[in-house]
Amino acid sequence: MMGCWVLNEGLSIILVLSWLGVNLYLFIDTFYWYEEEESFHYTRVILGSTLAWARASALCLNFNCMLILIPISRNLISFIRGTSICCRGPWRRQLDKNLKFHKLVAYGIAVNATIHVVAHFFNLERYCWSQSKEAQGLLAALSKLGSTPNESYLNPIRTLPMNTKKTTELLRTIAGVTGLVISLALVLIMTSSTEFIRQASYELFWCTHHVFIVFFLSLAIHGMGRIVRGQTQDSLSLHNITFCRDRYAEWQTEAQCPVPQFSGKEPSAWKWILGPVVLYACERIIRFWRFQQEVVITKVVSHPSGVLELHMKKRGFKMAPGQYILVQCSAISSLEWHPFTLTSAPQEDFFSVHIRAAGDWTAALLEAFGAEGQALQEPWRLPRLAVDGPFGAALTDVFHYPVSVCIAAGIGVTPFAALLKSIWYKCSEAQTPLKLSKVYFYWICRDARAFEWFADLLLSLETRMSEQGKTHFLSYHIFLTGWDENQAVHIALHWDENTDVITGLKQKTFYGRPNWNNEFKQIAYSHPSSSIGVFFCGPKALSKTLQKMCRLYSSADPRGVHFYYNKEIF
C-alpha cells in the first residue's frame, strides 16, 4: 500500500536527482572541455588540471546562484500555486518544499565555491612558480610572454618581486578581491543560517542573510579581470600548436610559428543571475509596497493559554483558506517578519490571526497589546503592524480532494480555523458545489484551556451542519493529553451529560493520544477508492508518524485508496 507515497516522494527524489544530474552534467562537460580544448592548451601547460576544476565548479556555481533566489520568491510561489492548470496534484505539493530546495541549492553553492577556491589557490601557486627562476622550457617561455610590444600575456602574475607574498599578488587583481568578498559573504550567510543562530538572534540571521546583495554584486564583476586566459581564434589559425609547441625558442623568428596571442574569457556570471535578481527585486518592491499600506486593527482578544487574537483590515486584501501572512511590529523590531496562518474565512470582512507566546518576539507582541495579564490597550495606543501577503500554503489544497483529513497539534490548529469557517460559509451557500464531501478533523492538545477559543467555532459549525442535515460531513476528534487530578474528577462526574464537559460540544473529548493505526485503517476502510488529502500542522516527530501512516495505508492499486500527505511549512 505505497502507491501515493511513492508518487509524492518519487517526485521529490526526481526533482533532487534532476538538480544533481544537471550539476554533474555541467561539471563533467565543462571539465572535459577545458581538458581538451585546443585554445587552452598553453594555459594547461602552466596550470595543469586545476584549470578544469576551477572552470567546472565556476559554471556549477553560476547555475546554483541562478536558482537560489527563486524558492524564496513567495509571490511567485503563490502565483504558481494558484495556477492550477500548470501545477496539479503531486507537482503542486512540491511547492511546499521550497525552503528545503533553497537549502539544498545553498549546499551546492558551498561545495562548488570550496572547489573553486581550492583550485584557484593551486592555480596561483603555479602562476607564481612559473615566474620563478626554477621554471624552465616552455613553461618559462609562456610566462615571459607579454614583456615586449605586440605580445599578449598568458600569466596574469607579471613579476614576482622578492619578499612579496602570493596573497598580496592575488589581492592586486579584480578576481582576487571579489573572490575574497564572495567567500566571506558566503561564510557569513551559511554560518548564521543554522537553527541555533536563528533561534538565538533572528536579527543577526536577517542582517547576515542580506549580505547576499554584496555576494551577487561581487559575483557579477568577479570575471571582469579575465584572469584565466586562452589563445585567440585568430592566433590558433596562424599558430599550429602541434607543430609549434616544441619550437618555443623560434617563436620570434619562425614564420610558421608566430608568437601566440591570448585573451581572457568574457565574464558570464551576470548572464546567469540577471533574471533571478530582477525577479527577486520585483518581489521586494511588491513587499515594500504592501509594507506601506495601512493596517487597521479592529479587534483584540486575549484568550487563555497565552493566545492573542487580532482582527485587522487592509485595503485590497484577498485571501484563501489556509494562507498565511508575514507580520512585522516596528515597536519590537524593524527587521523581523514572522509568519502566521490566517484564522478568518475569505467570506468575512476582516482577516485575523491567533498568536501564542512561543519566543521572545511573540512574548513581546503579547505584552505590547496588553495580553499578558494586563488590561488590553486602547485602540489609539496599539503598536503599528505591517502585513505582507497573503501567501499560499499546503492547506489551500484541502478542497481539491473528495476526502480530507486535517490534523493539528497545539497552536497548529490555527490554519484549520480558516478552513472550518470557510466550510461553514460554503455549506450555507446552497449554490456552491463542493468536490470535498468528507472532512476528518483531529486536534491534539495538552492544555484544556486552549480549547476555549476554538470550541465556539466548532459549536457553531456543529449546529449549522445539524440544521442542514449534513452531520456526516464533518467528523472531529479532540484529544486532551494533559490534565490534573481536579480536572479528572470533574470530567468523571459529568461524563454522562449530553455535551462534553470541557468543550461543550456533542462530540466527547478523548483523553490520551490517538492510535493512528486504527484511525487510518478506519478511514481507508470507509473510503476504499478515494484520494484522501492528509494535512498536518505541528511538531516534526508527529509529522514523521503521519507520513509513515500515509505510506502504510495507501494502496499499490491505482484504483484503491491513496493518502496524500501535506505539511504546513512557512
Side-chain angles (χ1 to χ4, degrees):
M1 303 179 103
M2 297 177 64
C4 84
W5 182 85
V6 170
L7 180 61
N8 190 21
E9 292 302 312
L11 278 176
S12 298
I13 294 171
I14 288 171
L15 291 173
V16 171
L17 290 178
S18 298
W19 169 80
L20 188 60
V22 172
N23 274 280
L24 288 173
Y25 169 76
L26 291 175
F27 191 95
I28 294 170
D29 182 66
T30 307
F31 185 92
Y32 279 107
W33 190 86
Y34 276 95
E35 282 285 275
E36 298 171 0
E37 172 58 27
E38 191 178 33
S39 61
F40 286 93
H41 175 81
Y42 286 134
T43 315
R44 289 193 297 273
V45 170
I46 298 177
L47 301 180
S49 62
T50 52
L51 167 67
W53 282 98
R55 300 311 303 166
S57 57
L59 189 66
C60 291
L61 189 60
N62 290 339
F63 170 68
N64 285 285
C65 287
M66 178 186 72
L67 296 177
I68 192 71
L69 294 177
I70 296 175
I72 55 173
S73 298
R74 297 177 187 269
N75 289 291
L76 175 66
I77 299 296
S78 295
F79 173 77
I80 296 173
R81 180 184 290 280
T83 311
S84 57
I85 296 175
C86 302
C87 191
R88 292 178 180 270
W91 290 104
R92 188 184 181 108
R93 284 190 292 279
Q94 302 311 309
L95 296 174
D96 302 323
K97 300 175 182 177
N98 59 319
L99 291 182
K100 286 186 177 180
F101 184 67
H102 175 72
K103 294 175 184 177
L104 181 66
V105 173
Y107 290 133
I109 290 174
V111 169
N112 284 291
T114 302
I115 295 172
H116 189 72
V117 169
V118 171
H120 271 314
F121 268 116
F122 280 102
N123 289 340
L124 177 64
E125 180 71 30
R126 289 174 179 270
Y127 275 137
C128 292
W129 188 83
S130 65
Q131 288 286 14
S132 67
K133 295 179 180 179
E134 289 83 4
Q136 302 293 327
L138 178 60
L139 182 63
L142 289 170
S143 291
K144 288 182 173 62
L145 290 177
S147 301
T148 59
N150 300 321
E151 286 183 0
S152 58
Y153 67 88
L154 176 60
N155 188 339
I157 306 298
R158 303 308 307 136
T159 58
L160 193 63
M162 296 296 293
N163 301 323
T164 300
K165 294 184 179 179
K166 293 167 186 175
T167 52
T168 304
E169 288 295 320
L170 182 65
L171 294 176
R172 289 177 180 174
T173 64
I174 295 175
V177 173
T178 55
L180 178 62
V181 172
I182 291 170
S183 300
L184 291 175
L186 185 59
V187 169
L188 273 175
I189 292 170
M190 295 291 289
T191 54
S192 64
S193 299
T194 59
E195 187 74 20
F196 174 77
I197 295 294
R198 284 189 288 125
Q199 294 293 335
S201 177
Y202 184 87
E203 291 197 8
L204 176 62
F205 161 75
W206 191 94
C207 291
T208 52
H209 232 62
H210 279 71
V211 177
F212 84 92
I213 299 171
V214 176
F215 177 90
F216 276 99
L217 285 174
S218 300
L219 184 66
I221 62 176
H222 180 60
M224 289 184 178
R226 304 190 181 191
I227 195 169
V228 176
R229 300 167 68 82
Q231 197 171 351
T232 64
Q233 291 301 313
D234 290 340
S235 177
L236 281 172
S237 63
L238 299 174
H239 181 101
N240 187 297
I241 292 176
T242 305
F243 178 77
C244 299
R245 63 186 175 189
D246 296 326
R247 294 176 171 82
Y248 57 87
E250 302 171 6
W251 285 354
Q252 300 286 352
T253 57
E254 179 64 49
Q256 292 180 323
C257 294
V259 175
Q261 301 297 314
F262 301 94
S263 64
K265 186 175 174 61
E266 286 193 12
S268 60
W270 67 271
K271 298 176 184 178
W272 289 85
I273 63 175
L274 179 62
V277 167
V278 170
L279 177 69
Y280 189 73
C282 294
E283 167 89 9
R284 296 308 292 259
I285 290 170
I286 292 171
R287 292 176 66 175
F288 180 76
W289 174 68
R290 286 175 173 167
F291 168 76
Q292 297 298 320
Q293 292 180 308
E294 183 183 8
V295 175
V296 179
I297 302 170
T298 60
K299 187 178 181 181
V300 180
V301 181
S302 179
H303 292 286
S305 295
V307 175
L308 176 70
E309 180 181 354
L310 298 177
H311 290 206
M312 295 168 279
K313 288 186 176 181
K314 185 178 178 180
R315 188 174 62 182
F317 188 91
K318 295 180 181 180
M319 59 163 288
Q323 289 188 313
Y324 68 95
I325 57 174
L326 295 172
V327 177
Q328 183 234 50
C329 181
S330 55
I332 301 172
S333 171
S334 59
L335 301 180
E336 294 190 46
W337 290 81
H338 291 265
F340 296 98
T341 307
L342 291 164
T343 55
S344 53
Q347 294 86 349
E348 295 175 306
D349 62 352
F350 63 90
F351 61 96
S352 65
V353 293
H354 285 70
I355 301 171
R356 179 172 63 91
D360 293 342
W361 189 90
T362 48
L365 185 71
L366 265 66
E367 184 179 350
F369 278 88
E372 287 291 318
Q374 309 170 22
L376 292 175
Q377 296 283 2
E378 295 294 331
W380 58 275
R381 288 186 175 180
L382 294 175
R384 179 183 181 274
L385 296 182
V387 170
D388 186 20
F391 302 105
L395 198 59
T396 57
D397 294 338
V398 164
F399 292 101
H400 296 168
Y401 295 93
V403 180
S404 287
V405 180
C406 302
I407 303 169
I411 197 63
V413 75
T414 53
F416 301 105
L419 169 68
L420 295 176
K421 284 182 182 179
S422 189
I423 289 174
W424 188 91
Y425 281 105
K426 287 180 182 292
C427 288
S428 301
E429 300 167 1
Q431 298 180 349
T432 305
L434 280 178
K435 181 179 180 180
L436 182 64
S437 60
K438 180 69 176 179
V439 176
Y440 294 90
F441 175 64
Y442 295 84
W443 187 16
I444 304 100
C445 192
R446 69 179 61 174
D447 189 351
R449 294 181 302 163
F451 292 131
E452 295 178 20
W453 74 269
F454 202 70
D456 291 340
L457 171 61
L458 288 175
L459 182 60
S460 176
L461 190 61
E462 187 180 64
T463 304
R464 172 65 65 175
M465 295 299 177
S466 179
E467 290 173 353
Q468 297 191 355
K470 295 181 179 180
T471 53
H472 66 283
F473 185 85
L474 174 66
S475 295
Y476 57 90
H477 310 271
I478 300 175
F479 292 83
L480 180 63
T481 59
W483 60 88
D484 56 31
E485 185 177 348
N486 293 332
Q487 285 177 322
V489 172
H490 184 64
I491 291 165
L493 290 173
H494 296 83
W495 182 254
D496 293 331
E497 295 183 5
N498 293 329
T499 57
D500 185 71
V501 67
I502 292 180
T503 63
L505 300 169
K506 292 180 181 179
Q507 171 69 53
K508 294 298 181 71
T509 298
F510 297 93
Y511 299 93
R513 301 184 183 277
N515 185 321
W516 292 115
N517 273 300
N518 291 342
E519 299 296 336
F520 273 80
K521 187 184 295 183
Q522 181 60 44
I523 294 171
Y525 177 79
S526 301
H527 308 278
S529 301
S530 298
S531 295
I532 302 174
V534 178
F535 299 85
F536 172 70
C537 186
K540 291 181 180 179
L542 182 54
S543 176
K544 291 180 180 178
T545 300
L546 295 174
Q547 199 167 9
K548 181 182 177 181
M549 292 296 107
C550 289
R551 181 172 71 250
L552 184 62
Y553 288 99
S554 291
S555 174
D557 185 351
R559 296 169 296 180
V561 63
H562 296 99
F563 290 92
Y564 296 93
Y565 184 71
N566 302 266
K567 185 180 187 300
E568 191 80 355
I569 302 172
F570 299 122

